[in-house]
Amino acid sequence: MNRIFRALAILILLGFISSCSKKVIPYQGDGKMGDFSPLYASYDYLNAKAKIVIEEESGKITRGSLNLRAKKDSVLWFTVSPGMGMEAVRGLITQDKIMIKDRIGKEDVNLSFNEFDSVFGLKLSLELFQNLLWANPPHRIDYEDRLVRVGKVFEVTQVRNQVRYFSKVQESHGKVIESVSNSLDDRGSLLASFSGFQEVDSQPFPIEVLIKLAYQLPGGGQNTIINIEWISIEPFTDPLNFPFKF
């Protein structure tokens, strides 16, 4: 089950240019001071690739590649390969559940988000995955939230569904540069730090992200550190397919 959670953790990190051969184009904001205006990624379908490094509490380090396909607000599909073209894990995340096919360890997952919370102590959703992938604030601002400007960064504190979210949003481009979420019962937490942004379709997308996860397993609490370097990203208007079966 720990192997399965590592595969899922890759996606939780989850942010992305058109192909490996193209140069990363840094995103430059207008540099102007203004009101709080977070920028949410705009796309219909998307295909992306990344390099990943996962460091577990035991000291084990795993390196590999991640392929991702997405339909906005509907589906996230991914595969994880440790190398040599071998697919180790395939996953599908919808608005209702998480499904993972473990081709090596044979420890498949087919859980609703409520069931996942009961097992791992993390409250997840398709919206949360999308926001983490694209460095979006976790929730839209409303009157109950705390919003403070500190220099050129907005600090946002939100509480939703027994989870506290703290986000730092860069004013120049409207994307999250650091995000921390903690369940109010202290069973799980997630920290994401985004390093640099690249321009794709005139939008900022993360170049690298460092994730720190604290979660529950049957043997007790675990911590995992994940570094992701996004290699390519391709937005599409034409539909993509998401092949998956147990």
Side-chain angles (χ1 to χ4, degrees):
M1 184 61 72
N2 198 16
R3 183 187 301 108
I4 288 295
F5 191 88
R6 292 200 305 270
L8 184 62
I10 295 166
L11 192 59
I12 295 178
L13 297 117
L14 313 189
F16 287 130
I17 42 194
S18 290
S19 71
C20 299
S21 62
K22 292 186 178 180
K23 181 180 178 180
V24 171
I25 303 174
Y27 183 86
Q28 300 291 335
D30 58 22
K32 297 179 181 178
M33 297 290 286
D35 296 330
F36 180 66
S37 300
L39 186 60
Y40 290 81
S42 177
Y43 62 94
D44 295 320
Y45 294 87
L46 185 144
N47 185 49
K49 297 180 181 180
K51 297 177 182 178
I52 59 171
V53 180
I54 307 171
E55 183 177 349
E56 299 177 50
E57 192 170 353
S58 64
K60 180 180 179 180
I61 298 176
T62 303
R63 292 177 170 83
S65 61
L66 169 69
N67 292 319
L68 179 75
R69 298 177 188 174
K71 179 181 179 181
K72 189 174 182 180
D73 299 329
S74 180
V75 176
L76 287 171
W77 174 98
F78 66 96
T79 64
V80 179
S81 302
M84 303 298 291
M86 179 181 63
E87 180 180 299
V89 172
R90 178 172 296 206
L92 187 72
I93 298 177
T94 68
Q95 293 181 345
D96 302 316
K97 65 194 313 182
I98 299 171
M99 294 173 284
I100 298 176
K101 178 66 177 179
D102 181 2
R103 300 184 184 279
I104 297 178
K106 307 302 181 183
E107 296 178 351
D108 298 341
V109 170
N110 187 8
L111 298 173
S112 69
F113 288 118
N114 286 337
E115 291 169 336
F116 191 91
D117 179 26
S118 297
V119 174
F120 296 112
L122 285 175
K123 295 182 181 296
L124 304 177
S125 67
L126 176 65
E127 181 182 21
L128 177 61
F129 278 111
Q130 291 181 151
N131 290 338
L132 287 170
L133 283 168
W134 318 132
N136 298 327
H139 296 281
R140 305 279 180 173
I141 290 290
D142 69 21
Y143 70 94
E144 294 182 337
D145 301 331
R146 183 176 183 268
L147 175 63
V148 178
R149 187 207 299 265
V150 181
K152 296 183 178 181
V153 173
F154 287 99
E155 296 185 351
V156 185
T157 304
Q158 302 170 296
V159 177
R160 300 286 193 282
N161 300 321
Q162 299 300 306
V163 178
R164 179 178 289 107
Y165 301 91
F166 175 77
S167 306
K168 293 183 179 180
V169 179
Q170 185 71 43
E171 187 177 38
S172 61
H173 51 58
K175 304 299 289 186
V176 171
I177 57 174
E178 184 176 315
S179 177
V180 181
S181 62
N182 301 85
S183 60
L184 297 184
D185 60 8
D186 293 324
R187 295 186 63 226
S189 65
L190 165 66
L191 183 150
S193 178
F194 299 90
S195 177
F197 289 81
Q198 57 188 310
E199 184 171 334
V200 180
D201 276 4
S202 300
Q203 300 180 69
F205 285 84
I207 297 173
E208 287 192 62
V209 58
L210 178 68
I211 305 294
K212 297 181 180 180
L213 289 165
Y215 53 95
Q216 299 295 321
L217 289 175
Q222 295 289 322
N223 293 281
T224 299
I225 299 174
I226 307 171
N227 188 81
I228 296 182
E229 178 185 354
W230 294 105
I231 298 172
S232 69
I233 177 172
E234 295 179 278
F236 291 93
T237 55
D238 294 332
L240 298 174
N241 59 7
F242 307 97
F244 184 89
K245 66 177 181 179
F246 283 113

